[in-house]
Amino acid sequence: MSTVGKGLEGIAIAESSISTVDGVNSKLMYRGYDVPELSARASFEEIVHLLWYGALPTQQQLDDLKARLASRRKLPDQLLDMIRVTPKDADPIDMLRTMVSALGMFDPLANDGSDEALFEKAATLTARFPSILAAFHRIGNGLEPLDPRPDLDHAANFLYMYHGKEPDKRTTRALETYLVLLADHEFNASTFAARMITSTLTDMYSAVTGAIGALKGPLHGGAPNGVYDMLIEIGTPDKANDWFENAMATKFRIMGIGHRVYKAMDPRATVLREHARELTLSTGNPVWYAISRQIELLALSHPYFQERKLFTNVDYYSVTVLTSLGFPVEMMTPIFAVSRVAGWTAHVIEQFRNNRLMRPRAEYVGPVNSVWQEIEDRTPGVIYIEDDMGNLKPFGDNEEETTT
Ligand code: SDX
């Protein structure tokens, strides 16, 4: 049995042809295409097709995919009823995780592992994430959910269903860029979770539900909450230096910085930084960009970050971009999921096609030869083991005491 580094660092656990990260040269590719370049050119639907089918779509294929997604955006009435009874102050990522799990109960194909059924479910899930978030938002604000607009593409329709008005092209392009950039990222924790769950040949809804649970964590897709708190706490750019000094003095972990794979700039952060700069000029909120940039420059020039190769990651400027698009902080991780569901479902399909149950081993460090004791003889929290001489001794901290 071989052992690996904590957190599976540097371990390739399976082959994949969907995406790859070059953390030294700040590169991210979807099926060999440079993602920052894709983010300037491609629609989210083109990326969905690329991730699922392994090639950019022809015009006919794109039209077909758009039609399939548009036809699935409307939620089942029973799901809307479930959203209506969900606590209004529920964390939207918890609500999304719950509704995705519930969606599986309304899908007759849920447990069908055929290729055709997998692509159908991938389309259903990808189409419905925005509808679920928009419905929760509107119901929570005493409004009726809006029906999806078949004439609008994925990003524009989400903005319409959420805000209740058709977005302008700049707003749509900014969200589309974000959705393209975050659609896949090799075996990040939530994608690995989806693949590991799939390896038991369970259903796609179970795998995506698990992925959402993993994404929620502050070390992964939950990081925007910490970035937001930082920006609110700092308040104005002139306070950034003091805040940073205090963070260093208290060993505070600055969210949105550092990455397990990128030991150089996350190329997505570079693109989002520019969108954050531009958007905050037009939305009249340049303060957040200024604070973000100031903290970023302080971190990138500080020996502590340089020695550990800690750079800005995708979550750092996402906060300013999504805030500029009118989304509250609690919607940021769910909107990360709106994008990443395309990648999760692509990986579930890839896993199904070339599967072997994932079942690692554990390096056992617990007691052996533990000796049963009647309840009246037990010491709280202590297991007694029998040593080679037949003596009883407590396992663990107080091992030096022995009793016969
Ligand atoms: C995403 O994996 C993916 O691909 C994820 C993602 C995707 O698209 O799916 O890219 C999206 O999740 C981006 C990451 C979002 N998370 C954050 O921004 C949270 C803040 N960053 C971290 O906590 C951290 O950098 C991780 C979790 C992202 C990576 O951590 P590692 O590889 O386990 O590294 P580590 O925690 O062992 O840290 C190594 C050192 C430690 O210091 P020392 O013990 O050596 O003294 O770096 C320090 C850490 O304390 N460190 C930080 C830091 N991140 C790491 N110090 C201050 N601020 C930070 N943000």
Side-chain angles (χ1 to χ4, degrees):
M1 183 163 78
S2 58
T3 55
V4 295
K6 200 169 181 183
L8 296 180
E9 181 155 13
I11 300 298
I13 59 116
E15 291 183 354
S16 175
S17 58
I18 299 174
S19 69
T20 187
V21 177
D22 175 349
V24 174
N25 300 305
S26 294
K27 285 248 177 277
L28 169 59
M29 290 188 284
Y30 297 159
R31 306 276 188 189
Y33 292 95
D34 177 67
V35 172
E37 184 185 350
L38 287 174
S39 74
R41 295 165 175 253
S43 66
F44 180 64
E45 289 89 338
E46 285 178 289
I47 299 305
V48 170
H49 191 283
L50 178 64
L51 295 175
W52 289 353
Y53 299 103
L56 286 170
T58 61
Q59 188 59 57
Q60 184 58 54
Q61 289 170 330
L62 182 58
D63 295 346
D64 292 348
L65 178 59
K66 285 184 177 181
R68 276 171 60 209
L69 291 174
S71 69
R72 284 168 172 75
R73 290 170 181 163
K74 189 159 175 52
L75 301 177
D77 289 341
Q78 305 95 317
L79 202 83
L80 280 174
D81 292 343
M82 291 175 75
I83 295 174
R84 290 185 203 283
V85 297
T86 299
K88 304 248 176 301
D89 61 352
D91 185 335
I93 194 68
D94 292 339
M95 181 280 303
L96 179 65
R97 186 193 62 226
T98 307
M99 296 308 152
V100 166
S101 180
L103 266 182
M105 296 186 286
F106 302 118
D107 185 343
L109 296 175
N111 297 311
D112 182 338
S114 68
D115 234 31
E116 189 188 353
L118 289 171
F119 282 109
E120 288 300 304
K121 287 179 278 187
T124 299
L125 281 162
T126 303
R128 289 183 173 174
F129 271 40
S131 305
I132 291 170
L133 296 187
F136 179 69
H137 167 68
R138 292 185 64 84
I139 289 168
N141 286 281
L143 301 167
E144 273 307 298
L146 292 173
D147 284 339
R149 288 260 306 264
D151 59 315
L152 296 178
D153 288 345
H154 199 72
N157 176 68
F158 177 33
L159 288 161
Y160 164 72
M161 289 183 79
Y162 189 93
H163 291 305
K165 63 181 178 21
E166 189 171 333
D168 61 41
K169 286 203 180 323
R170 173 73 188 98
T171 304
T172 302
R173 190 63 215 156
L175 180 60
E176 187 126 61
T177 301
Y178 172 91
L179 295 177
V180 169
L181 286 170
L182 277 82
D184 198 53
H185 210 245
E186 198 193 87
F187 281 9
N188 59 86
S190 55
T191 300
F192 173 55
R195 291 197 70 137
M196 193 279 293
I197 294 170
T198 299
S199 80
T200 71
L201 296 186
T202 184
D203 67 295
M204 185 182 273
Y205 289 96
S206 297
V208 173
T209 300
I212 295 172
L215 184 75
K216 173 184 176 182
L219 294 186
H220 186 14
N225 295 293
V227 177
Y228 176 87
D229 292 343
M230 173 187 78
L231 295 173
I232 293 289
E233 189 181 328
I234 294 172
T236 54
D238 61 308
K239 297 203 176 70
N241 285 35
D242 288 349
W243 186 91
F244 182 78
E245 289 312 318
N246 182 55
M248 295 311 294
T250 56
K251 290 200 177 305
F252 179 78
R253 192 165 279 226
I254 303 175
M255 294 292 110
I257 291 183
H259 198 278
R260 173 60 62 77
V261 180
Y262 288 119
K263 300 309 170 191
M265 271 305 282
D266 180 334
R268 302 167 296 177
T270 308
V271 176
L272 288 174
R273 180 195 299 133
E274 188 48 28
H275 277 271
R277 189 188 62 78
E278 275 180 37
L279 281 168
T280 52
L281 291 175
S282 57
T283 59
N285 180 12
V287 168
W288 274 24
Y289 172 77
I291 297 171
S292 302
R293 188 63 178 143
Q294 180 69 358
I295 295 291
E296 179 185 34
L297 291 171
L298 286 166
L300 297 184
S301 60
H302 195 285
Y304 173 89
F305 289 84
Q306 290 174 339
E307 287 153 16
R308 292 165 179 80
K309 297 189 181 348
L310 301 174
F311 291 82
T312 329
N313 66 50
V314 69
D315 288 322
Y316 190 76
Y317 284 104
S318 296
V319 173
T320 303
V321 168
L322 294 177
T323 303
S324 303
L325 300 180
F327 294 111
V329 61
E330 62 271 17
M331 277 288 170
M332 294 183 184
T333 305
I335 295 171
F336 191 147
V338 166
S339 170
R340 189 54 57 88
V341 62
W344 289 335
T345 48
H347 280 276
V348 168
I349 292 166
E350 189 179 63
Q351 184 69 34
F352 253 101
R353 285 175 161 176
N354 179 19
N355 183 55
R356 183 150 196 264
L357 175 69
M358 290 190 200
R359 200 287 186 206
R361 294 298 311 277
E363 186 80 30
Y364 182 67
V365 293
V368 289
N369 303 327
S370 303
V371 177
W372 170 264
Q373 291 192 292
E374 295 308 327
I375 194 161
E376 58 274 13
D377 300 329
R378 290 172 197 161
T379 309
V382 175
I383 288 181
Y384 280 91
I385 56 177
E386 189 171 75
D387 68 12
D388 302 342
M389 309 296 286
N391 298 320
L392 273 191
K393 66 178 188 177
F395 173 78
D397 300 344
N398 31 21
E399 252 185 72
E400 64 287 350
E401 299 154 33
T402 60
T403 62
T404 52

